[in-house]
Amino acid sequence: MSTLHQPFTPHRRLSAAALVDERAPLGVDGFFQPRRAAFWLYVFFLANGVFSMVSNFTLGFRIVPAAVVFATLLWTLYAVPFLLFFRSLDLFEQHPPLGFAMAFGWGGFAACYLALPVNSAVQSLSAKLFGPQFTAEWGPALAGPINEELLKLLGVVVLIMIARTQFRTILSVVAVGAMIGLGFQIVEDLLYSVNTAIQFPYANQIAPVGLMFLVRGVITGIWSHALYTSVAAFGIGYFVTRRHEPLVRRTAVAVGAFALAWSMHFFWNSPWLQDIGGGGVGGIVVLSLVKGLPILAVGYLLWKLAGREEGTQIRTVADHYLDDDLMTPEERDALGSLHARRHLRRHMKKIHGRKAARTLHRLQRAQLHLIRVCEENGTGLPAARAAQDVTSLRADLAATTHTPATTGAAAAPNAG
């Protein structure tokens, strides 16, 4: 179990009738920390990354303007389902929006900016040492995994140094790692699309972008950088949150998780099994599944492990701060598990309909948000506003299901 950042006492527990405690302590760092060197290190690399990427796309716009506009729109829309998926897992309740925006920015701009020259240098060195044919086959497997995974993981470390106490569980670190990987994935695919359009032998600027989207987005996008970086971030999360464990064990887990992420990336980039599916789009799909499904399985297992401690953390904070009218004991148990929350929503939908299930989902998300706010600020004004949202949504749910507002949402599936 991770070390819980214990608030000062005495404190006042939140209830629907007594929502404000001006004595509440400040518990968790924010991500805007101009007094910390790590914050300005982040700003420096982000600014350089933005300048580098904008320069690249400006140059591309002069050559293939339609391709740049279409690719930017397409890959921006492509990011939306990933963000909605993260939201469906309630991952956005792990940190404030600024934290996730900074993570995406590091991956999309800082890490990409740093990776471009380093990858080129590694492949150039490989060509000199082993020849151009070897580099053509193995260059991506040699350069990408070590350089890109290190640079993305550096972003995780920098964000932890900026807002140290934001990262209280392994999942809170894994979620940021996934967002960094997603940012890298989107901007890298955008760069590939523009470069392919520039090199395309025909005048059509849309076709090469569509081709890259089909290959790198639809077929291979699921098992890509967001997954790799979340796996590597698991080790950092273990190192940061399991402070009661021996240093040797924490270091071994961190190194092992990075080695696993590197291996997944290396396996994907390597020419191994490239002839297994034959040629054409069908062959690409077969190769993608053969290589991608094992990677996805490993990522799923680590995400599941990361989520196990969430229940304990949620229950501890809720028991410390919240009365039962804001969160019943049954709801506290259910909130700690994504499976349990989904189970409650399925039962709610079966008994009271889709609208009630959606309202329950909003209530669960509001309760998770309330827990995070209490953990960050104690029972102060921000928690009061979050508690009012919970109270309002509970009343909406009661009106939808025709049950008393004091009845916990967890009890609703057993009604009727």
Side-chain angles (χ1 to χ4, degrees):
M1 185 192 305
S2 63
T3 302
L4 177 66
H5 182 76
Q6 296 290 349
F8 296 105
T9 54
H11 73 285
R12 182 182 301 169
R13 288 166 60 85
L14 276 177
S15 68
L19 296 175
V20 180
D21 180 6
E22 297 295 351
R23 302 169 297 169
L26 189 66
V28 177
D29 297 335
F31 282 93
F32 183 74
Q33 297 288 345
R35 295 186 178 183
R36 292 183 178 171
F39 177 81
W40 293 109
L41 180 68
Y42 173 90
V43 171
F44 173 79
F45 283 114
L46 179 68
N48 279 274
V50 170
F51 178 79
S52 175
M53 294 301 109
V54 170
S55 298
N56 277 312
F57 293 131
T58 300
L59 178 61
F61 185 81
R62 293 172 182 171
I63 304 171
V64 284
V68 172
V69 173
F70 181 60
T72 301
L73 177 62
L74 192 61
W75 287 111
T76 300
L77 293 175
Y78 179 76
V80 172
F82 283 91
L83 297 176
L84 292 176
F85 177 70
F86 289 165
R87 187 171 185 266
S88 73
L89 298 179
D90 299 320
L91 294 181
F92 289 143
E93 300 308 326
Q94 293 289 327
H95 302 289
L98 178 61
F100 285 109
M102 291 174 68
F104 191 94
W106 178 276
F109 297 104
C112 280
Y113 155 71
L114 293 169
L116 285 173
V118 178
N119 284 349
S120 297
V122 170
Q123 297 209 35
S124 177
L125 180 62
S126 173
K128 293 177 181 179
L129 294 176
F130 306 109
Q133 182 176 354
F134 176 87
T135 302
E137 294 181 357
W138 287 95
L142 295 176
I146 187 67
N147 298 331
E148 294 170 5
E149 296 311 319
L150 275 175
L151 292 171
K152 289 182 293 177
L153 198 61
L154 176 62
V156 176
V157 175
V158 169
L159 288 174
I160 291 175
M161 293 174 66
I162 292 173
R164 298 159 192 165
T165 55
Q166 276 281 340
F167 299 89
R168 306 170 296 276
T169 64
I170 294 177
L171 187 61
S172 67
V173 183
V174 170
V176 162
M179 190 60 66
I180 289 176
L182 178 63
F184 189 96
Q185 180 177 338
I186 295 300
V187 175
E188 182 188 52
D189 289 341
L190 181 55
L191 283 169
Y192 272 113
S193 298
V194 174
N195 290 336
T196 302
I198 293 174
Q199 299 169 11
F200 200 61
Y202 303 103
N204 191 324
Q205 298 182 25
I206 304 300
V209 175
L211 179 63
M212 292 303 298
F213 180 78
L214 175 65
V215 175
R216 296 186 63 87
V218 177
I219 299 178
T220 67
I222 299 177
W223 29 77
S224 188
H225 289 282
L227 190 58
Y228 304 150
T229 315
S230 66
V231 169
F234 179 95
I236 300 297
Y238 188 95
F239 185 90
V240 170
T241 62
R242 302 296 180 95
R243 297 179 182 177
H244 60 283
E245 298 283 356
L247 178 62
V248 173
R249 181 181 300 172
R250 291 158 56 204
T251 303
V253 172
V255 173
F258 176 79
L260 182 59
W262 178 90
S263 300
M264 294 162 65
H265 198 163
F266 178 86
F267 176 63
W268 180 260
N269 282 11
S270 73
W272 291 337
L273 306 176
Q274 62 181 359
D275 297 327
I276 192 171
V281 176
I284 296 176
V285 172
V286 172
L287 177 62
S288 176
L289 292 174
V290 170
K291 280 190 169 185
L293 289 178
I295 293 174
L296 188 63
V298 172
Y300 170 78
L301 290 176
L302 285 185
W303 273 84
K304 190 172 183 178
L305 285 175
R308 281 186 175 180
E309 66 178 343
E310 282 296 291
T312 302
Q313 180 80 358
I314 287 172
R315 185 72 195 234
T316 300
V317 177
D319 288 348
H320 189 83
Y321 283 114
L322 305 179
D323 281 339
D324 290 350
D325 60 345
L326 286 173
M327 193 175 300
T328 67
E330 294 81 5
E331 289 172 338
R332 297 166 201 240
D333 293 336
L335 282 176
S337 166
L338 174 64
H339 175 75
R341 295 197 297 270
R342 285 180 170 175
H343 177 73
L344 290 179
R345 295 197 298 268
R346 285 196 298 266
H347 276 277
M348 181 67 74
K349 181 179 178 181
K350 181 179 179 181
I351 296 173
H352 295 289
R354 181 173 298 177
K355 181 179 179 181
R358 286 198 298 264
T359 305
L360 175 58
H361 196 185
R362 291 168 57 204
L363 173 62
Q364 291 173 340
R365 198 169 284 148
Q367 289 172 327
L368 289 171
H369 177 71
L370 172 60
I371 288 173
R372 179 173 64 78
V373 171
C374 286
E375 199 171 16
E376 292 180 0
N377 303 312
T379 51
L381 288 173
R385 289 191 289 267
Q388 289 170 346
D389 291 340
V390 170
T391 303
S392 175
L393 285 169
R394 190 181 295 285
D396 291 344
L397 182 63
T400 304
T401 60
H402 306 290
T403 57
T406 55
T407 302
N414 296 321

